[in-house]
Amino acid sequence: ADESSTPAATTSQTDTSKYLSQPLVKDLFTADPSAHVFNGKIYIYPSHDTAAGTPENDNGDHFDMRDYHVFSMDDINGKVTDHGVALRVKDIPWAGRQLWAPDAAFKNGKYYLYFPVKDKQDVFRIGVATSTSPSGPFKAEPKPIEGSFSMDPAVFTDEDGTSYMYFGGIWGGQLQRWATGKYDSTAAPEPTTGNALLPKMAKMRKDMLGFDGPVKDVQILDENGKPFPATDHDRRFFEAAWVHKYNGKYYFSYSTGDTHNIVYAIGDSPTGPFTYKGVLLKPVQGWTNHHSVVEFKGKWYLFYHDTQLSGKTHLRNVKVTELTHNPDGTIQTINPLKS
Ligand code: FUB
C-alpha cells in the first residue's frame, strides 16, 4: 500500500457543508456499507478500501481490497467502534484478490459474513465465513458457495425465517460473463440490444452455507410490466443489490452503475417480480454508489458512501442518513449533496 492508504495521509476536502452527512469512519477508508441490527446495536459490514496502487480500469482493478473491518454503533449519532480485522484475503484458502462488498446474517446462533472475491483464476465467486460474534473474527469455509458467481451478495431473511441471497454486478463484477450459464471471459461488458442483464438470487440452505435450489433471475419490470432494454442505463441493474421489507412489501434496491443512482423497485414476494418505482439516492461524489437500508429504533436509515475524505473514487468513506417511506409506500429521494 502507498502512503495514501489512510484518510489522515490524504488531502481532506475542506468544504464539509455541501454534504448531507459526514463520514462515520475517518481513520480508514470504508465503502459499500451493509448495516444490520444485532443485539440492539447497529453493525456495519463495509469494504475496506486501500490505496494498493493498482492502475484504474473498467474492470475495477483499482478496488484492490485485502481485508474487512466490522464497525458498531449503539446509536445512530453515537460513537463508532472499529472491531479490528474480521477477515483477511490471505486467510481465505481459495481466494486470489479483491475483497469487494460484503454482507452479514445471523441464524442458528451464528453470524455469517458473505463476501465476493476473485478466485485464483481471477473469477469472482461468493464465499461465506462464520463467527460466534457479530464483530468477528470470521473463519472462511474452505471453498466458495457452490453455484455462486459474480459479486455484491446481499442476504435478506424474511419473517418466516427463510433467507435469500441476491447478488451480481456487471462489467468488473463479471455478471455478463455468465450470460450463457458458463463462464466466458470474452463476453462484452453488457449487451447493447435486447433486454438488460438481471441480478440473481437463490434461497439459502438452513445452515446458511450454501444455496437451496437453483440460482434465478431477479425480474425488474417497468410500470407497464416490461423488462428494461439493455440501453436503459438510467434504470437497468448494474450492482449493489439490497432488499428490505416495509409494510409487507419487498423493496429491491440497486445501483445503476454508470448513471450513478441508487434506484428501487417494489414486489409482493421476496422472489419478485419487482416493479421499478424511482430514485432512492442521487449520485454521490465518486463513481460508485452502494448502500443498505435498515430499521433501527422505529426509524429507517440509509447507509451509503462517497469520497469526501479523499476525492478519489476507490478511497471511500461510509455515511448514514435517515430515509422516509411515504404513506403510499414510495421512498423520498435523497440528495447526498446540499443544493
Ligand atoms: O467496492 C468494490 C465495488 O465497488 C463494489 O463491490 C461495488 O458495488 C462498488 O461499490
Side-chain angles (χ1 to χ4, degrees), residues 279-292:
V279 175
L280 191 162
L281 175 65
K282 289 185 178 176
V284 297
Q285 181 185 318
W287 199 94
T288 66
N289 204 350
H290 192 125
H291 70 301
S292 63

PDB file of all heavy atoms in Angstrom, residues 279-292:
ATOM      1  N   VAL A 279     -35.890   6.824  -7.984  1.00  0.00           N
ATOM      2  CA  VAL A 279     -34.546   7.023  -7.430  1.00  0.00           C
ATOM      3  C   VAL A 279     -34.622   7.130  -5.909  1.00  0.00           C
ATOM      4  O   VAL A 279     -35.416   7.886  -5.363  1.00  0.00           O
ATOM      5  CB  VAL A 279     -33.910   8.307  -8.017  1.00  0.00           C
ATOM      6  CG1 VAL A 279     -32.557   8.596  -7.368  1.00  0.00           C
ATOM      7  CG2 VAL A 279     -33.750   8.168  -9.528  1.00  0.00           C
ATOM      8  N   LEU A 280     -33.801   6.343  -5.239  1.00  0.00           N
ATOM      9  CA  LEU A 280     -33.717   6.376  -3.776  1.00  0.00           C
ATOM     10  C   LEU A 280     -32.596   7.336  -3.359  1.00  0.00           C
ATOM     11  O   LEU A 280     -32.766   8.136  -2.449  1.00  0.00           O
ATOM     12  CB  LEU A 280     -33.441   4.956  -3.280  1.00  0.00           C
ATOM     13  CG  LEU A 280     -33.549   4.629  -1.810  1.00  0.00           C
ATOM     14  CD1 LEU A 280     -33.678   3.115  -1.624  1.00  0.00           C
ATOM     15  CD2 LEU A 280     -32.352   5.104  -1.032  1.00  0.00           C
ATOM     16  N   LEU A 281     -31.436   7.237  -4.008  1.00  0.00           N
ATOM     17  CA  LEU A 281     -30.287   8.091  -3.686  1.00  0.00           C
ATOM     18  C   LEU A 281     -29.670   8.594  -4.984  1.00  0.00           C
ATOM     19  O   LEU A 281     -29.299   7.797  -5.854  1.00  0.00           O
ATOM     20  CB  LEU A 281     -29.247   7.283  -2.895  1.00  0.00           C
ATOM     21  CG  LEU A 281     -27.923   7.969  -2.568  1.00  0.00           C
ATOM     22  CD1 LEU A 281     -28.107   9.158  -1.622  1.00  0.00           C
ATOM     23  CD2 LEU A 281     -26.932   6.971  -1.955  1.00  0.00           C
ATOM     24  N   LYS A 282     -29.567   9.913  -5.097  1.00  0.00           N
ATOM     25  CA  LYS A 282     -28.927  10.509  -6.286  1.00  0.00           C
ATOM     26  C   LYS A 282     -27.416  10.267  -6.250  1.00  0.00           C
ATOM     27  O   LYS A 282     -26.883   9.881  -5.205  1.00  0.00           O
ATOM     28  CB  LYS A 282     -29.226  12.005  -6.319  1.00  0.00           C
ATOM     29  CG  LYS A 282     -30.672  12.303  -6.647  1.00  0.00           C
ATOM     30  CD  LYS A 282     -30.854  13.799  -6.790  1.00  0.00           C
ATOM     31  CE  LYS A 282     -32.271  14.124  -7.171  1.00  0.00           C
ATOM     32  NZ  LYS A 282     -32.463  15.591  -7.224  1.00  0.00           N
ATOM     33  N   PRO A 283     -26.712  10.542  -7.350  1.00  0.00           N
ATOM     34  CA  PRO A 283     -25.271  10.278  -7.389  1.00  0.00           C
ATOM     35  C   PRO A 283     -24.507  10.941  -6.238  1.00  0.00           C
ATOM     36  O   PRO A 283     -24.797  12.077  -5.865  1.00  0.00           O
ATOM     37  CB  PRO A 283     -24.843  10.857  -8.738  1.00  0.00           C
ATOM     38  CG  PRO A 283     -26.063  10.735  -9.585  1.00  0.00           C
ATOM     39  CD  PRO A 283     -27.230  10.985  -8.667  1.00  0.00           C
ATOM     40  N   VAL A 284     -23.558  10.199  -5.698  1.00  0.00           N
ATOM     41  CA  VAL A 284     -22.686  10.709  -4.642  1.00  0.00           C
ATOM     42  C   VAL A 284     -21.383  11.179  -5.290  1.00  0.00           C
ATOM     43  O   VAL A 284     -21.142  10.912  -6.478  1.00  0.00           O
ATOM     44  CB  VAL A 284     -22.358   9.605  -3.601  1.00  0.00           C
ATOM     45  CG1 VAL A 284     -23.618   9.143  -2.891  1.00  0.00           C
ATOM     46  CG2 VAL A 284     -21.618   8.433  -4.241  1.00  0.00           C
ATOM     47  N   GLN A 285     -20.521  11.829  -4.536  1.00  0.00           N
ATOM     48  CA  GLN A 285     -19.175  12.159  -5.032  1.00  0.00           C
ATOM     49  C   GLN A 285     -18.413  10.850  -5.205  1.00  0.00           C
ATOM     50  O   GLN A 285     -18.362  10.027  -4.282  1.00  0.00           O
ATOM     51  CB  GLN A 285     -18.480  13.066  -4.032  1.00  0.00           C
ATOM     52  CG  GLN A 285     -17.102  13.484  -4.479  1.00  0.00           C
ATOM     53  CD  GLN A 285     -16.410  14.295  -3.396  1.00  0.00           C
ATOM     54  OE1 GLN A 285     -16.995  15.147  -2.748  1.00  0.00           O
ATOM     55  NE2 GLN A 285     -15.147  14.002  -3.189  1.00  0.00           N
ATOM     56  N   GLY A 286     -17.813  10.624  -6.370  1.00  0.00           N
ATOM     57  CA  GLY A 286     -17.147   9.351  -6.675  1.00  0.00           C
ATOM     58  C   GLY A 286     -17.988   8.570  -7.666  1.00  0.00           C
ATOM     59  O   GLY A 286     -19.192   8.819  -7.805  1.00  0.00           O
ATOM     60  N   TRP A 287     -17.364   7.605  -8.360  1.00  0.00           N
ATOM     61  CA  TRP A 287     -18.079   6.869  -9.421  1.00  0.00           C
ATOM     62  C   TRP A 287     -19.130   5.916  -8.859  1.00  0.00           C
ATOM     63  O   TRP A 287     -20.235   5.815  -9.370  1.00  0.00           O
ATOM     64  CB  TRP A 287     -17.070   6.070 -10.265  1.00  0.00           C
ATOM     65  CG  TRP A 287     -17.597   5.644 -11.613  1.00  0.00           C
ATOM     66  CD1 TRP A 287     -17.443   6.321 -12.776  1.00  0.00           C
ATOM     67  CD2 TRP A 287     -18.357   4.465 -11.913  1.00  0.00           C
ATOM     68  NE1 TRP A 287     -18.068   5.631 -13.799  1.00  0.00           N
ATOM     69  CE2 TRP A 287     -18.632   4.491 -13.304  1.00  0.00           C
ATOM     70  CE3 TRP A 287     -18.851   3.399 -11.166  1.00  0.00           C
ATOM     71  CZ2 TRP A 287     -19.362   3.497 -13.951  1.00  0.00           C
ATOM     72  CZ3 TRP A 287     -19.588   2.402 -11.814  1.00  0.00           C
ATOM     73  CH2 TRP A 287     -19.837   2.459 -13.179  1.00  0.00           C
ATOM     74  N   THR A 288     -18.760   5.161  -7.802  1.00  0.00           N
ATOM     75  CA  THR A 288     -19.648   4.103  -7.322  1.00  0.00           C
ATOM     76  C   THR A 288     -20.704   4.650  -6.365  1.00  0.00           C
ATOM     77  O   THR A 288     -20.482   5.639  -5.674  1.00  0.00           O
ATOM     78  CB  THR A 288     -18.872   2.999  -6.583  1.00  0.00           C
ATOM     79  OG1 THR A 288     -18.309   3.538  -5.378  1.00  0.00           O
ATOM     80  CG2 THR A 288     -17.767   2.423  -7.452  1.00  0.00           C
ATOM     81  N   ASN A 289     -21.839   3.961  -6.342  1.00  0.00           N
ATOM     82  CA  ASN A 289     -22.903   4.281  -5.384  1.00  0.00           C
ATOM     83  C   ASN A 289     -23.362   2.939  -4.825  1.00  0.00           C
ATOM     84  O   ASN A 289     -23.671   2.015  -5.603  1.00  0.00           O
ATOM     85  CB  ASN A 289     -24.032   5.030  -6.102  1.00  0.00           C
ATOM     86  CG  ASN A 289     -24.858   5.882  -5.153  1.00  0.00           C
ATOM     87  OD1 ASN A 289     -24.721   5.780  -3.922  1.00  0.00           O
ATOM     88  ND2 ASN A 289     -25.705   6.724  -5.707  1.00  0.00           N
ATOM     89  N   HIS A 290     -23.366   2.789  -3.520  1.00  0.00           N
ATOM     90  CA  HIS A 290     -23.659   1.481  -2.912  1.00  0.00           C
ATOM     91  C   HIS A 290     -24.190   1.744  -1.508  1.00  0.00           C
ATOM     92  O   HIS A 290     -23.650   2.568  -0.785  1.00  0.00           O
ATOM     93  CB  HIS A 290     -22.369   0.638  -2.877  1.00  0.00           C
ATOM     94  CG  HIS A 290     -22.578  -0.784  -2.542  1.00  0.00           C
ATOM     95  ND1 HIS A 290     -22.132  -1.824  -3.339  1.00  0.00           N
ATOM     96  CD2 HIS A 290     -23.187  -1.373  -1.484  1.00  0.00           C
ATOM     97  CE1 HIS A 290     -22.452  -2.975  -2.781  1.00  0.00           C
ATOM     98  NE2 HIS A 290     -23.093  -2.728  -1.646  1.00  0.00           N
ATOM     99  N   HIS A 291     -25.190   1.006  -1.095  1.00  0.00           N
ATOM    100  CA  HIS A 291     -25.977   1.386   0.073  1.00  0.00           C
ATOM    101  C   HIS A 291     -26.513   0.181   0.826  1.00  0.00           C
ATOM    102  O   HIS A 291     -26.420  -0.965   0.353  1.00  0.00           O
ATOM    103  CB  HIS A 291     -27.172   2.187  -0.434  1.00  0.00           C
ATOM    104  CG  HIS A 291     -28.108   1.248  -1.168  1.00  0.00           C
ATOM    105  ND1 HIS A 291     -27.703   0.510  -2.276  1.00  0.00           N
ATOM    106  CD2 HIS A 291     -29.362   0.856  -0.884  1.00  0.00           C
ATOM    107  CE1 HIS A 291     -28.699  -0.256  -2.655  1.00  0.00           C
ATOM    108  NE2 HIS A 291     -29.712  -0.081  -1.831  1.00  0.00           N
ATOM    109  N   SER A 292     -27.140   0.438   1.971  1.00  0.00           N
ATOM    110  CA  SER A 292     -28.042  -0.523   2.596  1.00  0.00           C
ATOM    111  C   SER A 292     -29.136   0.258   3.311  1.00  0.00           C
ATOM    112  O   SER A 292     -28.971   1.452   3.582  1.00  0.00           O
ATOM    113  CB  SER A 292     -27.312  -1.461   3.560  1.00  0.00           C
ATOM    114  OG  SER A 292     -26.739  -0.732   4.630  1.00  0.00           O
TER     115      SER A 292
END
